Amino acid sequence: MASDIRLAFSHPSERSIATAGDTPHDRISVRDMVVEADIGAFQAERGHKQRLRFNVVVEVIPFTGPRDDDVDRILSYDRVTEAITHELAAERLNLLETLAERVAERILLEPQALRTFVRIEKLDRGPGALGVEIVRSRRDVAGHLDAMAQEMASARPHPRVVYLSNAAIADPRLSDWLDALEAQPAPLILCVGRPDAAAPQTGHRMTQRRIDLLSIEQNGWCLAARDARAKVVVTRTELDWAMKNGQICVWAPSKIVLDATQGPRAQPGDSVALAAWFAGEMEARELLVIGEDLPETPPVAARAVHPGDALF
């Protein structure tokens, strides 16, 4: 009995281990995340934010692929904290139980997630921490997942993808253009082409493709040096985080292009067409090309502007 009581009040990670049976899973956890929220069923709680402490453990499918240190192959901690943030912002709730249920369901939408423990405690309602803890598996919430997946798909951000020619990168108006683009109501992702300097030539198609992709990334870093707001990003996980947090991205294409199951037909030398393919993959609301002509049949709404043209 004493052991059962100790386990009931121990961290959810210990409960996960104790209930794993003969097939324990890998786990990720978020410990002691404290946020303020307006929540509670009593009138005295309405209109007053109080501190909530979250402890979450997610059991995940063991990773069996190549150990290549790739953030896109794992369940990111950001997905857990985003689930908490999203459900707190969705509407005011009366019950911690409802909040815990919704957080668990959102976490279990992730393909790697098998089971999750969610503990939420109110820190300002008494002399101690008052809270709830639930455990849910994918099987428990299967009936809700399809509807939630559709909701998440409809809420996915649709960025504005902007291709900058080398002349545009060097233009003294670059920061002014970024000011205008940043003020628009959409995440901003910048794309560039190869630098003007000639890249090494290998005479071999596949190796040349990699060199040309890397030369685009080098040019991306040159753009990042022109304006501190522009951050070079490599992975889809980084892109998703940046779009949700208002960060201007410079797309480094190698990883996403090489990992794509249906990659672009355009070669890196046709960098505007490559940016158009990327805009389609990101379901962009617009492809804006500054300083070059549009590619044929872009997959999203597209327009080109040249020196002297207005951006908007």
Side-chain angles (χ1 to χ4, degrees):
M1 178 65 72
S3 176
D4 291 341
I5 293 174
R6 186 201 64 79
L7 185 61
F9 289 94
S10 61
H11 190 269
S13 61
E14 294 187 50
R15 292 172 58 85
S16 171
I17 294 169
T19 59
D22 296 330
T23 56
H25 296 289
D26 295 345
R27 295 177 301 278
I28 68 168
S29 64
V30 172
R31 290 175 178 255
D32 299 329
M33 176 180 172
V34 178
V35 299
E36 291 188 335
D38 183 348
I39 189 170
F42 292 96
Q43 190 60 39
E45 295 179 285
R46 293 183 176 274
H48 302 286
K49 289 188 175 182
Q50 55 184 300
R51 292 176 301 152
L52 303 179
R53 180 168 61 203
F54 291 81
N55 281 279
V56 180
V57 171
V58 186
E59 295 178 345
V60 297
I61 298 171
F63 181 68
T64 57
R67 301 290 179 177
D68 54 4
D69 204 34
D70 184 352
V71 69
D72 283 344
R73 297 181 185 272
I74 54 93
L75 175 57
S76 170
Y77 307 107
D78 289 336
R79 297 296 193 185
V80 178
T81 57
E82 286 170 5
I84 294 169
T85 302
H86 181 278
E87 295 304 335
L88 284 173
E91 64 175 314
R92 187 194 184 280
L93 297 174
N94 290 328
L95 302 177
L96 290 184
E97 289 84 351
T98 305
L99 177 59
E101 190 79 38
R102 293 184 180 181
V103 169
E105 289 179 353
R106 187 160 292 270
I107 290 170
L108 290 168
L109 281 170
E110 300 297 328
Q112 303 97 325
L114 295 171
R115 188 168 68 150
T116 185
F117 295 74
V118 178
R119 176 183 292 176
I120 312 175
E121 297 166 298
K122 292 183 178 182
L123 303 181
D124 301 324
R125 283 292 291 166
L130 311 176
V132 301
E133 179 177 327
I134 67 171
V135 55
R136 296 291 184 272
S137 69
R138 186 182 297 275
R139 182 175 59 252
D140 296 331
V141 299
H144 301 281
L145 294 185
D146 287 345
M148 289 191 68
Q150 292 177 7
E151 173 202 335
M152 289 182 68
S154 64
R156 184 178 298 127
H158 298 284
R160 177 172 282 107
V161 174
V162 178
Y163 178 90
L164 295 166
S165 68
N166 290 339
I169 294 172
D171 196 292
R173 295 170 292 177
L174 175 65
S175 290
D176 293 336
W177 291 338
L178 294 186
D179 288 342
L181 290 164
E182 191 176 25
Q184 297 300 306
L188 178 59
I189 304 177
L190 306 177
C191 295
V192 301
R194 295 182 298 176
D196 292 329
Q201 300 297 307
T202 67
H204 183 277
R205 182 179 178 185
M206 293 304 297
T207 57
Q208 189 63 49
R209 184 174 184 236
R210 287 180 175 261
I211 286 173
D212 290 344
L213 287 169
L214 288 172
S215 71
I216 292 175
E217 297 186 7
Q218 289 178 321
N219 212 21
W221 285 105
C222 291
L223 170 58
R226 293 288 318 279
D227 193 297
R229 291 171 291 178
K231 308 296 184 184
V232 178
V233 297
V234 176
T235 66
R236 183 59 190 256
T237 300
E238 290 177 290
L239 282 168
D240 288 343
W241 184 92
M243 287 192 294
K244 293 172 183 173
N245 289 276
Q247 177 181 293
I248 299 176
C249 302
V250 182
W251 179 47
S254 292
K255 176 174 169 46
I256 289 177
V257 168
L258 296 173
D259 285 354
T261 55
Q262 295 183 340
R265 294 182 180 179
Q267 294 301 310
D270 190 354
S271 51
V272 180
L274 184 65
W277 170 83
F278 173 69
E281 292 294 297
M282 298 301 294
E283 300 180 6
R285 67 170 59 190
E286 179 187 40
L287 169 65
L288 175 63
V289 177
I290 301 179
E292 298 280 0
D293 294 327
L294 289 177
E296 294 184 5
T297 62
V300 299
R303 60 192 177 95
V305 297
H306 295 276
D309 295 344
L311 287 183
F312 302 103

